[in-house]
Amino acid sequence: RGLLNHASIRHTYHPSSQFPFLLLIINRFIEFIYTQSHSLPLVNMSKRQRPTDPLFMQIAQRSGSLPVLLEEFFSFLHRSTDFYVVGDVEEFRKKTATMGFPPGEAERLLLDAFKKFPMKKLKPSS
């Protein structure tokens, strides 16, 4: 559950929330990267497309490489969201936190999204 506030995307932390807005963005981004090759030009390796694929493809092509694409994505999260905000543990315990994540939670969300997609081996060329 995310909130849009003055052109910034904030995640309101709720331990019971299973699909917060930022997690959805990260999942879509990681899924997009998973379905593309690891070097440019990006090649669609999946017949299944998401509505966000054209937007991600445009950003990926402008970035020029996956390292730059990832840096741009995380720069966006840092500048425009509370993904990098570590809130007070006591506020999260009392459920009074309105922004940010408990220590380690953002990293856990990122790794959980990354682990949703298996690593792929290159097929030997014939």
Side-chain angles (χ1 to χ4, degrees):
R1 298 177 189 184
L3 302 174
L4 191 60
N5 184 14
H6 303 293
S8 293
I9 300 170
R10 294 188 309 150
H11 164 78
T12 302
Y13 179 77
H14 297 286
S16 62
S17 172
Q18 294 181 0
F19 300 103
F21 185 66
L22 285 178
L23 183 57
L24 180 64
I25 290 172
I26 292 168
N27 278 335
R28 293 290 188 263
F29 184 74
I30 290 174
E31 182 176 354
F32 170 77
I33 290 173
Y34 175 75
T35 61
Q36 306 303 312
S37 70
H38 62 281
S39 61
L40 293 179
L42 294 173
V43 176
N44 189 349
M45 295 174 65
S46 172
K47 299 291 184 204
R48 195 174 97 198
Q49 287 213 340
R50 298 278 188 149
T52 53
D53 283 357
L55 177 62
F56 285 136
M57 182 60 77
Q58 183 178 26
I59 294 168
Q61 289 172 339
R62 286 185 181 180
S63 298
S65 70
L66 283 178
V68 173
L69 176 65
L70 290 170
E71 184 178 334
E72 290 296 322
F73 180 69
F74 285 103
S75 172
F76 164 76
L77 291 179
H78 188 265
R79 290 178 287 107
S80 302
T81 74
D82 66 345
F83 188 72
Y84 281 86
V85 174
V86 178
D88 182 55
V89 174
E90 192 62 26
E91 288 184 8
F92 287 106
R93 189 184 66 73
K94 292 178 182 177
K95 298 183 181 180
T96 58
T98 59
M99 200 173 146
F101 295 87
E105 182 69 10
E107 292 93 339
R108 185 192 65 75
L109 290 172
L110 178 64
L111 286 175
D112 286 351
F114 178 80
K115 291 177 182 178
K116 285 186 177 188
F117 305 98
M119 298 302 286
K120 300 186 284 187
K121 291 186 179 186
L122 288 175
K123 294 180 181 177
S125 54
S126 319

